[in-house]
């Protein structure tokens, strides 16, 4: 069974995957898997950017979003008549003949991966470049990825990567066959300084503790007095900052439901 494994940390936002998908499918008829994709409005491989934090502590991460080719695909369930089907290799296909007029299929996908083609009166989406796979090749997005952030192959061959990966919205229970490494999490960042001399403080010990689980993270401020504590889940945390010769600083009940730039934190001398 085929799978995609996408490493978000390797993606540099070049948009090659999105562009070559358009190049492969616009004005090209790959029946029986897909009719031509329209020039505009469709992104069968869509690259989205996710912005975290606030200036000057900002990170932008990119996430490639094809069809998830789910084992329990909602589109197959809603279609109910074979107009959407799963191939033996795991790729989910909308039959361009049988699905004509089935606009209801657009809303069946919880990931928003199905688009409506007004001209052809047809729902369409990523096919995993099934026509290329049949020829022993890989999908165009995989072939064009300069950083090798997108991998495609047999589940068994990629099992080591899959063991470290996640799927989007696992609570949906649709069992996606697109796996992600290094999905964006939240961060807490800030800057520590001495207000008496108006200088940043290098080497301050920063500790963040999850109030519910007790899990802790420790970082040391760098040459610019900055600290970044990354890959956090949502929750309530306690932030502690300590440095010899200074009074400890503490914030309790720090709510993390997005990435947070604490800003400049002044440590008072003892």
């Amino acid at each position: 069974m085929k799978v995609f494994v996408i490493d978000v940390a390797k993606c540099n936002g070049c948009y090659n995957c999105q562009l070559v998908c358009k190049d492969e499918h616009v004005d090209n008829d790959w029946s029986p898997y897909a009719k031509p994709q329209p020039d505009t409005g469709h992104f069968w491989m869509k690259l989205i950017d996710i912005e975290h934090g606030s200036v000057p502590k900002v990170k932008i991460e990119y996430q490639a979003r094809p069809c998830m080719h789910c084992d329990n695909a909602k589109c197959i369930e809603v279609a109910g008549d074979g107009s959407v089907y799963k191939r033996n290799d795991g790729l989910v296909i909308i039959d361009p003949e049988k699905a004509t007029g089935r606009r209801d299929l657009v809303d069946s996908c919880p990931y928003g991966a199905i688009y409506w083609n007004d001209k052809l009166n047809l729902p369409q989406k990523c096919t995993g470049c099934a026509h290329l796979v049949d020829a022993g090749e890989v999908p165009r997005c995989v072939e064009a990825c300069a950083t090798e952030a997108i991998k495609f192959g047999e589940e068994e061959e990629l099992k080591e990567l899959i063991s470290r990966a996640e799927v989007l919205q696992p609570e949906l229970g649709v069992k996606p066959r697109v796996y992600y490494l290094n999905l964006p999490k939240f961060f807490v960042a800030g800057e520590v300084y001495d207000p008496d001399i108006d200088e940043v403080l290098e080497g301050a010990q920063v500790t963040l503790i999850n109030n519910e689980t007790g899990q802790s993270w420790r970082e040391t401020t760098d040459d610019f007095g900055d600290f970044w504590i990354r890959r956090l889940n949502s929750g309530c945390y306690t932030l502690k900052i300590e440095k010899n010769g200074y009074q400890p600083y503490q914030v309790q009940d720090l709510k993390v439901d997005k990435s947070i730039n604490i800003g400049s934190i002044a440590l008072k001398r003892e």
Side-chain angles (χ1 to χ4, degrees):
M1 297 281 278
K2 302 292 188 183
V3 296
F4 286 88
V5 179
I6 300 173
D7 191 339
V8 175
K10 290 183 177 180
C11 180
N12 62 10
C14 72
Y15 284 84
N16 272 358
C17 58
Q18 185 170 297
L19 292 170
V20 297
C21 178
K22 302 292 286 185
D23 180 65
E24 185 68 22
H25 292 280
V26 171
D27 295 330
N28 290 324
D29 190 328
W30 299 119
S31 294
Y33 302 128
K35 294 290 186 182
Q37 183 184 141
D39 290 345
T40 60
H42 284 216
F43 297 98
W44 299 1
M45 169 57 88
K46 184 175 185 179
L47 191 69
I48 65 171
D49 57 89
I50 302 170
E51 183 178 307
H52 299 265
S54 59
V55 176
K57 302 291 190 298
V58 177
K59 295 292 182 183
I60 297 179
E61 295 166 299
Y62 301 93
Q63 196 176 111
R65 292 275 191 94
C67 164
M68 298 292 141
H69 297 281
C70 309
D71 282 342
N72 296 335
K74 292 293 184 182
C75 53
I76 294 178
E77 179 184 328
V78 170
D81 60 357
S83 57
V84 187
Y85 64 95
K86 178 177 280 289
R87 298 188 349 156
N88 291 334
D89 63 2
L91 295 177
V92 174
I93 303 295
I94 297 177
D95 188 304
E97 300 297 336
K98 294 180 179 179
T100 299
R102 292 296 303 270
R103 190 161 195 149
D104 57 312
L105 293 178
V106 173
D107 295 328
S108 70
C109 177
Y111 297 104
I114 300 178
Y115 298 84
W116 182 252
N117 187 321
D118 281 314
K119 183 178 178 180
L120 298 179
N121 193 32
L122 181 68
Q124 294 181 295
K125 68 170 189 67
C126 160
T127 65
C129 285
H131 62 290
L132 294 179
V133 174
D134 286 351
E137 301 179 39
V138 296
R140 281 291 303 278
C141 58
V142 177
E143 183 270 334
C145 184
T147 61
E148 298 185 350
I150 308 174
K151 295 187 181 297
F152 177 84
E154 295 294 335
E155 187 172 15
E156 181 64 23
E157 295 172 355
L158 297 173
K159 65 180 180 180
E160 193 279 325
L161 291 177
I162 294 172
S163 70
R164 298 186 281 111
E166 306 171 69
V167 297
L168 296 182
Q169 296 178 263
E171 68 277 7
L172 294 173
V174 293
K175 297 184 178 179
R177 300 194 67 78
V178 177
Y179 294 88
Y180 288 89
L181 292 165
N182 300 307
L183 275 174
K185 303 290 185 181
F186 302 134
F187 67 72
V188 171
E191 175 191 86
V192 181
Y193 76 105
D194 182 330
D196 292 334
I197 58 176
D198 195 26
E199 292 286 347
V200 299
L201 289 175
E202 177 187 355
Q205 183 70 49
V206 182
T207 304
L208 190 70
I209 303 169
N210 186 302
N211 293 345
E212 182 177 346
T213 67
Q215 184 178 3
S216 63
W217 295 259
R218 289 180 174 83
E219 294 288 340
T220 301
T221 56
D222 62 18
D223 296 348
F224 303 99
D226 290 338
F227 66 88
W228 298 77
I229 300 178
R230 297 179 170 87
R231 299 196 60 75
L232 302 171
N233 292 318
S234 60
C236 194
Y237 293 79
T238 294
L239 176 69
K240 299 178 180 180
I241 302 177
E242 299 169 295
K243 185 172 174 60
N244 289 338
Y246 292 85
Q247 298 177 26
Y249 173 93
Q250 180 169 305
V251 175
Q252 293 180 316
D253 299 325
L254 178 65
K255 185 179 180 182
V256 176
D257 56 6
K258 61 181 179 179
S259 292
I260 298 175
N261 173 18
I262 299 293
S264 297
I265 299 168
L267 292 191
K268 298 180 180 179
R269 298 190 180 192
E270 291 182 338

